Short mmCIF file of all heavy atoms in Angstrom, two decimals:
data_model
loop_
_atom_site.label_atom_id
_atom_site.label_comp_id
_atom_site.label_asym_id
_atom_site.label_seq_id
_atom_site.Cartn_x
_atom_site.Cartn_y
_atom_site.Cartn_z
N ASN S 256 59.07 90.07 85.00
CA ASN S 256 59.11 90.80 83.74
C ASN S 256 58.41 89.93 82.70
O ASN S 256 58.96 88.92 82.27
CB ASN S 256 60.59 91.03 83.36
CG ASN S 256 60.74 91.66 81.99
OD1 ASN S 256 59.76 92.12 81.38
ND2 ASN S 256 61.97 91.69 81.48
N LYS S 258 57.69 90.65 79.68
CA LYS S 258 58.14 90.90 78.29
C LYS S 258 56.90 90.98 77.39
O LYS S 258 55.88 91.51 77.81
CB LYS S 258 59.13 89.82 77.87
CG LYS S 258 60.24 89.65 78.92
CD LYS S 258 61.37 88.80 78.49
CE LYS S 258 62.37 88.72 79.64
NZ LYS S 258 63.57 87.99 79.32
N HIS S 341 67.05 97.14 80.43
CA HIS S 341 67.04 95.68 80.28
C HIS S 341 67.90 95.28 79.08
O HIS S 341 67.92 95.98 78.07
CB HIS S 341 65.60 95.19 80.10
CG HIS S 341 65.50 93.69 80.19
ND1 HIS S 341 65.80 92.88 79.11
CD2 HIS S 341 65.19 92.88 81.22
CE1 HIS S 341 65.66 91.61 79.50
NE2 HIS S 341 65.30 91.59 80.78
N SER S 342 68.58 94.15 79.19
CA SER S 342 69.52 93.77 78.12
C SER S 342 68.82 93.62 76.76
O SER S 342 69.43 93.86 75.73
CB SER S 342 70.25 92.48 78.49
OG SER S 342 69.34 91.42 78.55
N GLU S 343 67.52 93.24 76.78
CA GLU S 343 66.83 93.13 75.48
C GLU S 343 66.64 94.50 74.86
O GLU S 343 66.69 94.67 73.64
CB GLU S 343 65.50 92.38 75.65
CG GLU S 343 65.74 90.89 75.85
CD GLU S 343 64.71 90.20 76.72
OE1 GLU S 343 63.59 90.72 76.90
OE2 GLU S 343 65.05 89.11 77.26
N GLU S 413 71.78 91.18 85.90
CA GLU S 413 71.29 90.10 85.05
C GLU S 413 72.34 89.75 84.00
O GLU S 413 72.45 90.42 82.98
CB GLU S 413 70.02 90.54 84.32
CG GLU S 413 68.86 90.89 85.21
CD GLU S 413 67.54 90.75 84.48
OE1 GLU S 413 67.35 91.45 83.47
OE2 GLU S 413 66.74 89.91 84.88
N ALA S 417 72.53 84.35 81.00
CA ALA S 417 71.63 83.58 81.86
C ALA S 417 70.15 83.89 81.59
O ALA S 417 69.27 83.23 82.11
CB ALA S 417 71.95 83.84 83.32
N ILE S 418 69.90 84.91 80.76
CA ILE S 418 68.52 85.33 80.55
C ILE S 418 67.84 84.44 79.51
O ILE S 418 68.28 84.33 78.38
CB ILE S 418 68.45 86.81 80.10
CG1 ILE S 418 68.96 87.71 81.24
CG2 ILE S 418 67.04 87.19 79.70
CD1 ILE S 418 68.95 89.18 80.92
N GLY S 419 66.78 83.79 79.96
CA GLY S 419 65.96 82.97 79.05
C GLY S 419 66.67 81.73 78.55
O GLY S 419 66.21 81.08 77.61
N THR S 420 67.80 81.38 79.13
CA THR S 420 68.59 80.25 78.62
C THR S 420 68.48 79.02 79.51
O THR S 420 68.92 77.94 79.13
CB THR S 420 70.09 80.63 78.57
OG1 THR S 420 70.50 81.03 79.90
CG2 THR S 420 70.35 81.77 77.62
N GLY S 421 67.94 79.20 80.70
CA GLY S 421 67.88 78.08 81.64
C GLY S 421 69.22 77.88 82.33
O GLY S 421 69.38 77.00 83.17
N GLY S 457 68.94 88.47 88.35
CA GLY S 457 67.99 87.98 87.35
C GLY S 457 68.70 87.15 86.31
O GLY S 457 69.89 87.36 86.01
N GLY S 458 68.01 86.19 85.75
CA GLY S 458 68.59 85.30 84.73
C GLY S 458 68.25 83.86 85.08
O GLY S 458 68.93 83.27 85.92
N SER S 459 67.17 83.34 84.48
CA SER S 459 66.72 81.97 84.71
C SER S 459 66.47 81.63 86.18
O SER S 459 66.73 80.52 86.62
CB SER S 459 67.71 80.96 84.08
OG SER S 459 67.74 81.14 82.66
N VAL S 460 65.97 82.63 86.91
CA VAL S 460 65.53 82.32 88.28
C VAL S 460 64.25 81.48 88.16
O VAL S 460 63.39 81.76 87.32
CB VAL S 460 65.21 83.63 89.07
CG1 VAL S 460 64.58 83.29 90.42
CG2 VAL S 460 66.44 84.46 89.24
N LEU S 478 64.73 89.40 89.70
CA LEU S 478 63.95 89.87 88.55
C LEU S 478 63.78 88.63 87.68
O LEU S 478 64.75 88.04 87.22
CB LEU S 478 64.71 90.97 87.79
CG LEU S 478 64.06 91.50 86.50
CD1 LEU S 478 62.62 91.96 86.72
CD2 LEU S 478 64.88 92.64 85.91
N VAL S 479 62.52 88.25 87.51
CA VAL S 479 62.23 86.94 86.93
C VAL S 479 61.46 87.10 85.62
O VAL S 479 60.45 87.82 85.59
CB VAL S 479 61.37 86.12 87.93
CG1 VAL S 479 61.18 84.69 87.43
CG2 VAL S 479 62.00 86.13 89.32
N GLY S 480 61.92 86.45 84.56
CA GLY S 480 61.24 86.52 83.28
C GLY S 480 60.30 85.35 83.11
O GLY S 480 59.19 85.34 83.65
N GLY S 481 60.77 84.31 82.41
CA GLY S 481 59.97 83.13 82.08
C GLY S 481 59.15 82.58 83.24
O GLY S 481 57.94 82.34 83.09
N ALA S 482 59.79 82.42 84.39
CA ALA S 482 59.10 81.78 85.51
C ALA S 482 58.03 82.70 86.14
O ALA S 482 57.21 82.24 86.94
CB ALA S 482 60.11 81.35 86.58
P1 PGA P 105 64.47 84.94 82.56
O1 PGA P 105 64.46 86.50 82.24
O2 PGA P 105 64.09 84.80 84.01
O3 PGA P 105 63.47 84.34 81.62
O4 PGA P 105 65.86 84.45 82.32
C1 PGA P 105 64.94 87.43 83.17
C2 PGA P 105 64.80 88.82 82.59
O5 PGA P 105 64.90 89.00 81.39
O6 PGA P 105 64.58 89.80 83.37
#
Side-chain angles (χ1 to χ4, degrees):
N256 174 12
K258 310 190 181 184
H341 190 278
S342 65
E343 286 149 20
E413 298 204 299
I418 295 179
T420 57
S459 297
V460 173
L478 176 54
V479 187

